[in-house]
């Protein structure tokens, strides 16, 4: 099933909800109090540019990123930059907090830091020792309370998802976030098709390989394609993911130039010869591969 609306830059979740295809990552935000004002300003700028999906986690800055995002959203809403309904806020719970009671307590803290009544998508950050049935029960309790709209997982491979789906309520998993980029394509062998068949978007973290696909550091193929289109290597790397149905890249950026550059990737349409060149440089997988890690 194609979970990308071919006529617009959106991904579609099970149930028909459409959200912008590009999200903003905030890993490493909230770690340094001295950077708080600059980070809030960067997020306000992002919202002014048009970013509407923001991804974070209780792990980032031990809650500091959620606080920064909360301040930025509050300012943007007060200024009329956007509406709450237009935003799609994603956060993640530590595995050590993933018991039925722990999930509820952790979500309460995240809601408070974000200043939101409801988190749009709440993910288990990675699989820990808590039984999946307990975590799902906690997520369902959060939905009953109206504290979250959707729940999902992160860093789950096919076997993990199949085990999750065997748990009561587990098939209501709305998304899975994993490392996926123009060069890290292992998920395309079985994980992405498995998710695509269930209308479950794949949120791709580290889509720019933590800066390795940006600027002068980028591989020659990205720079060559960028030159043909009057684009940048980062835009080409993101456009390659946007060409894969069901994928929502979530690049991190903290400077206005990078925020505008990355956002511009949604307007770039790669030609068949561009995609062929990328396949030659970064071949799609021919066999099962472990999930890539950052």
């Amino acid at each position: 099933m194609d979970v990308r609306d071919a006529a617009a830059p959106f991904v579609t979740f099970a149930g028909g909800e459409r959200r912008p295809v590009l999200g903003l990552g905030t890993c490493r935000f909230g770690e340094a109090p001295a950077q708080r004002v600059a980070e809030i300003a960067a997020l306000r700028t992002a919202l002014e540019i048009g970013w509407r999906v923001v991804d974070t986690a209780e792990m980032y800055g031990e809650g500091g990123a959620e606080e920064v995002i909360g301040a930025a959203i509050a300012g943007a809403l007060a200024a009329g930059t956007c509406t709450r309904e237009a935003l799609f806020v994603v956060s993640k719970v530590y595995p050590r907090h993933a018991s039925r009671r722990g999930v509820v307590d952790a979500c309460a803290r995240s809601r408070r830091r974000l200043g939101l009544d409801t988190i749009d998508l709440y993910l288990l950050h990675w699989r820990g020792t808590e039984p999946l049935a307990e975590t799902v029960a906690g997520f369902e309790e959060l939905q009953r309370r109206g504290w979250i709209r959707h729940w999902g997982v992160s860093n789950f491979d096919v076997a993990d998802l199949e085990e999750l789906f065997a748990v009561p309520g587990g098939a209501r998993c709305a998304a899975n976030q994993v490392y996926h980029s123009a060069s890290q394509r292992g998920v395309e062998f079985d994980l992405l098709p498995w998710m695509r068949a269930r209308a479950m978007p794949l949120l791709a973290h580290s889509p720019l390989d933590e800066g390795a696909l940006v600027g002068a550091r980028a591989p020659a193929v990205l720079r060559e394609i960028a030159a043909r289109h009057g684009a940048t290597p980062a835009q080409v790397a993101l456009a390659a993911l946007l060409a894969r149905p069901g994928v929502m890249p979530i690049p991190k950026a903290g400077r206005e130039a990078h925020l505008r550059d990355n956002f511009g990737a949604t307007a770039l349409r790669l030609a068949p010869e561009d995609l062929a060149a990328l396949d030659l440089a970064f071949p799609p997988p021919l066999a099962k591969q472990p999930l890539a890690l950052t």
Side-chain angles (χ1 to χ4, degrees), residues 73-145:
I73 288 176
L77 295 180
T81 302
C82 59
T83 64
R84 173 64 185 94
E85 292 72 24
L87 295 175
F88 193 76
V89 180
V90 184
S91 194
K92 310 179 198 74
V93 59
Y94 267 123
R96 67 172 183 260
H97 296 155
S99 66
R100 180 170 184 165
R101 175 60 185 272
V103 163
V104 172
D105 291 343
C107 186
R109 294 189 293 268
S110 289
R111 288 169 65 245
R112 183 171 61 251
R113 289 188 291 258
L114 289 164
L116 300 176
D117 294 330
T118 305
I119 296 172
D120 297 293
L121 177 61
Y122 197 48
L123 307 178
L124 172 61
H125 207 151
W126 65 89
R127 191 165 180 182
T129 58
E130 293 293 341
L132 292 176
E134 285 290 303
T135 306
V136 172
F139 284 151
E140 291 187 326
E141 174 63 24
L142 292 174
Q143 285 182 310
R144 283 193 292 271
R145 296 187 183 198

Side-chain angles (χ1 to χ4, degrees), residues 207-220:
L208 298 176
D209 286 352
E210 299 187 314
L213 304 183
V214 174
R217 299 173 57 192

Side-chain angles (χ1 to χ4, degrees), residues 69-276:
I69 291 167
I73 288 176
L77 295 180
T81 302
C82 59
T83 64
R84 173 64 185 94
E85 292 72 24
L87 295 175
F88 193 76
V89 180
V90 184
S91 194
K92 310 179 198 74
V93 59
Y94 267 123
R96 67 172 183 260
H97 296 155
S99 66
R100 180 170 184 165
R101 175 60 185 272
V103 163
V104 172
D105 291 343
C107 186
R109 294 189 293 268
S110 289
R111 288 169 65 245
R112 183 171 61 251
R113 289 188 291 258
L114 289 164
L116 300 176
D117 294 330
T118 305
I119 296 172
D120 297 293
L121 177 61
Y122 197 48
L123 307 178
L124 172 61
H125 207 151
W126 65 89
R127 191 165 180 182
T129 58
E130 293 293 341
L132 292 176
E134 285 290 303
T135 306
V136 172
F139 284 151
E140 291 187 326
E141 174 63 24
L142 292 174
Q143 285 182 310
R144 283 193 292 271
R145 296 187 183 198
W147 289 9
I148 65 172
R149 297 183 55 249
H150 307 284
W151 64 266
V153 294
S154 181
N155 299 301
F156 270 45
D157 210 339
V158 172
D160 300 303
L161 288 171
E162 288 177 339
E163 186 176 341
L164 175 65
F165 270 51
V167 169
R172 288 189 281 275
C173 177
N176 182 23
Q177 183 177 129
V178 295
Y179 183 9
H180 183 37
S181 70
S183 64
Q184 298 293 330
R185 302 183 62 177
V187 299
E188 294 175 45
F189 181 75
D190 58 348
L191 178 59
L192 180 55
W194 192 98
M195 294 174 58
R196 199 177 277 156
R198 293 157 179 81
M200 183 192 303
L202 185 152
L203 278 57
H205 74 73
S206 307
L208 298 176
D209 286 352
E210 299 187 314
L213 304 183
V214 174
R217 299 173 57 192
V221 64
L222 294 179
R223 289 184 275 114
E224 291 164 3
I225 294 171
R228 288 201 293 270
H229 288 275
T232 65
Q235 289 174 336
V236 173
L238 292 173
L241 295 189
L242 296 175
R244 298 171 191 166
V247 176
M248 177 191 283
I250 46 173
K252 179 207 168 185
R255 297 181 181 178
E256 181 174 354
H258 295 160
L259 289 164
R260 292 189 181 279
D261 185 36
N262 292 348
F263 195 74
T266 59
L268 176 60
R269 298 293 181 267
L270 298 179
E273 55 267 31
D274 299 325
L275 297 174

Side-chain angles (χ1 to χ4, degrees), residues 275-290:
L275 297 174
L278 290 170
D279 283 346
L280 185 63
F282 309 115
L286 299 177
K288 174 70 176 176
Q289 298 178 12

Side-chain angles (χ1 to χ4, degrees), residues 15-31:
E17 180 176 346
R18 299 198 314 168
R19 290 293 176 172
V21 73
L22 197 62
L24 179 62
T26 61
C27 182
R28 307 306 299 270
F29 274 55
E31 294 182 352

